Amino acid sequence: MKQGWACRFQNYALFGPGARAIAIVTVLMLGIAASSPELAETAPVVVQVNLDDTVEPVTAEYVTRGINHANQIHASAVLLELSTPGGLDTSMREIISAIEASRAPVITYVAPSGHRAASAGFFILLSGDLAVMAPGTNTGAAHPVLMGGEDIGKTMEGKIENDAAAYIRSIADKRGRNSKLAEEGVRESRSFTEKEALDGKLTDAIANTPSDIFAQFDGKTVKRFDDSTTTLHLAGAIIEPYEMSSRERFLSRIADPNIAFILGAIGVLCLYLEFNHPGMVAPGVVGAISLVLALYAFHLLPINYAGVLLILVALGLFVLEAQMPTHGVLAAGGIVAMVVGSLILIDSPFPGAGIRLGTSLSVTLPLAVIMVFLLRIALAARRQKVVTGDAGMIDSVGTAQTDLEPAGKIFVHGEIWEARTSGKIQKGARVRVRAVDGLTLVVEPVSGNH
């Protein structure tokens, strides 16, 4: 071997010093490349996207963007980690469309242990190229729930249910999964543990960690949604987390029912302050922004209109308590109405998806006290007689400084004014101001003058 290299360098000696230097550098670079696994072979990249909230427009935008990013960097796969109680049908379909159109295989993974992919999450789980669940997780309960709890009639309700059932069947059939059992998850709201889902051929595996998934399916061939096939290359994969943008995190945060309720209360209170004290500006700006953000959040949530009505009734009772003091009876009724209204405001069948009792009480009690107190102050101020300007002179009582026949002078509010009357008033008599005409006061004698 040494002789071979020596012969090659002897051949290089036929060329000039510059050529020999280039040749030596080239040989060294080839040797380094051959001995370096990082340069010889690049590890596969898996983009991890976490759907750990309700399925709504913000989370749908985030998941879709994450899948598109994985395609742009030519990732080996997308790991879509699911922990969701469900959400909006339109947002769910947007996510599933992105999964179906993805060039990179999408692994849907319910994790960590103790979490679930319910309702819309069940559809998303079954739409993945690989559907995997961690131990101690569950899925299913995918019967469609109407927003607002409205009664649309049996016929329309049946149409919505049939549409959802057909959609889940089409997804399951295309992925080679148990469409009959998947349909039961929709029509009968059946839920499945990770073992039941695997035994029923709804999912492909149970895995503790993403590394377990990669080890189990590396080199396996999966059928894509367009009927093509692809071989998974996951050995030694590098997981690249894909995070929400600051905007998405903010919008997702305010979509929390508790945050939305607090924003709504702040908006109502600040606008109330602005209307009662025009020109303060700051409360009006804060109130308008808070109320718009609250309305945006509630637009994304399933609202029960009975809860909205109870909250409006509560605000009305607070106003009545300020106008007609009833020793707290109306205020107490308003507090009860607002607490009950806030607790039933979010029409969701999932525990923990509504407004918490602690949030309701911490918002309702201060709001009731502040509204009643401020409104009483405002009403009392409006009932007080104006004591400045022309209006402040009306009904003021003064003394005639000269005879008024019908004009003369009077002393009122510590000042001497020109005055006139319709008859005759003697000097020293008490007079009452009835009108202001420029710099002249129109007066009349006070009854009981002698």
Side-chain angles (χ1 to χ4, degrees):
M1 184 67 180
K2 292 181 180 179
Q3 293 176 352
W5 283 111
C7 292
R8 293 178 189 177
F9 279 115
Q10 287 175 359
N11 292 333
Y12 293 147
L14 298 175
F15 303 97
R20 288 199 299 272
I22 294 173
I24 293 171
V25 171
T26 302
V27 170
L28 290 175
M29 290 181 66
L30 290 173
I32 293 172
S35 62
S36 174
E38 290 80 10
L39 293 175
E41 183 178 353
T42 304
V45 174
V46 174
V47 174
Q48 180 174 339
V49 180
N50 293 327
L51 176 52
D52 55 359
D53 205 339
T54 55
V55 180
E56 35 86 4
V58 177
T59 51
E61 176 187 332
Y62 157 66
V63 172
T64 301
R65 198 160 51 81
I67 293 174
N68 291 338
H69 168 73
N71 287 314
Q72 289 169 0
I73 66 171
H74 304 289
S76 296
V78 178
L79 181 66
L80 177 55
E81 191 167 303
L82 300 173
S83 174
T84 176
L88 301 178
D89 176 81
T90 52
S91 300
M92 171 195 77
R93 291 176 184 258
E94 183 180 342
I95 292 173
I96 292 174
S97 295
I99 292 173
E100 294 172 353
S102 175
R103 293 192 303 274
V106 178
I107 304 169
T108 49
Y109 179 42
V110 185
S113 297
H115 289 240
R116 68 189 187 276
S119 193
F122 181 55
F123 285 78
I124 296 171
L125 172 64
L126 298 191
S127 70
D129 294 279
L130 286 179
V132 186
M133 299 177 69
T137 57
N138 64 281
T139 189
H143 192 282
V145 178
L146 300 178
M147 295 181 66
E150 56 201 291
D151 183 8
I152 60 173
K154 290 292 184 182
T155 302
M156 184 57 69
E157 188 175 341
K159 286 183 177 181
I160 294 173
E161 180 182 315
N162 290 335
D163 178 69
Y167 189 44
I168 199 74
R169 284 199 311 270
S170 69
I171 292 172
D173 287 339
K174 205 68 176 175
R175 293 302 192 191
R177 301 195 168 102
N178 190 336
S179 60
K180 183 177 183 300
L181 199 59
E183 186 174 356
E184 290 179 10
V186 172
R187 293 193 182 275
E188 302 174 18
S189 287
R190 283 194 59 183
S191 291
F192 310 95
T193 65
E194 77 285 1
K195 188 174 185 308
E196 291 169 342
L198 181 61
D199 293 342
K201 293 183 171 49
L202 289 174
T203 57
D204 302 298
I206 299 173
N208 287 292
T209 64
S211 298
D212 292 342
I213 300 174
F214 301 159
Q216 187 172 347
F217 289 96
D218 179 54
K220 298 290 179 67
T221 299
V222 294
K223 184 179 179 182
R224 306 305 310 284
F225 206 81
D226 60 0
D227 292 328
S228 64
T229 58
T230 187
T231 301
L232 299 176
H233 300 286
L234 303 174
I238 298 172
I239 296 179
E240 179 188 296
Y242 190 78
E243 303 293 342
M244 276 188 167
S245 65
S246 299
R247 168 185 164 276
E248 288 168 340
R249 281 196 297 271
F250 173 73
L251 293 177
S252 180
R253 186 61 179 159
I254 66 171
D256 182 318
N258 297 279
I259 301 298
F261 183 59
I262 293 172
L263 286 172
I266 292 173
V268 169
L269 187 58
C270 287
L271 289 178
Y272 169 78
L273 285 172
E274 183 65 32
F275 289 145
N276 280 278
H277 301 82
M280 292 181 68
V281 181
V285 173
V286 174
I289 294 173
S290 298
L291 203 55
V292 169
L293 290 175
L295 291 174
Y296 167 81
F298 286 130
H299 172 70
L300 303 177
L301 298 168
I303 299 298
N304 185 340
Y305 295 111
V308 176
L309 184 59
L310 280 172
I311 292 174
L312 294 176
V313 168
L315 295 175
L317 290 175
F318 295 153
V319 172
L320 290 176
E321 174 64 31
Q323 293 179 333
M324 305 181 299
T326 59
H327 305 289
V329 174
L330 291 177
I335 290 171
V336 172
M338 179 163 282
V339 170
V340 174
S342 63
L343 293 179
I344 67 171
L345 182 62
I346 306 302
D347 187 20
S348 173
F350 305 109
I355 296 172
R356 293 186 291 270
L357 178 60
T359 302
S360 177
L361 290 174
S362 63
V363 169
T364 301
L365 295 178
L367 183 66
V369 171
I370 294 172
M371 281 195 67
V372 173
F373 178 72
L374 290 180
L375 188 55
R376 282 185 179 176
I377 292 177
L379 291 174
R382 290 178 182 176
R383 293 190 187 107
Q384 291 179 352
K385 183 179 180 295
V386 179
V387 294
T388 59
D390 291 351
M393 297 296 294
I394 307 301
D395 288 335
S396 298
V397 175
T399 304
Q401 295 293 297
T402 64
D403 292 334
L404 276 70
E405 301 176 328
K409 297 182 182 298
I410 68 169
F411 183 79
V412 64
H413 280 194
E415 299 174 328
I416 296 176
W417 286 76
E418 295 288 338
R420 69 172 186 269
T421 184
S422 58
K424 181 178 179 181
I425 298 177
Q426 295 180 347
K427 178 181 177 181
R430 297 177 67 208
V431 295
R432 175 174 284 109
V433 178
R434 286 305 185 191
V436 178
D437 183 12
L439 297 178
T440 301
L441 304 181
V442 179
V443 300
E444 65 178 20
V446 175
S447 59
N449 276 338
H450 298 288

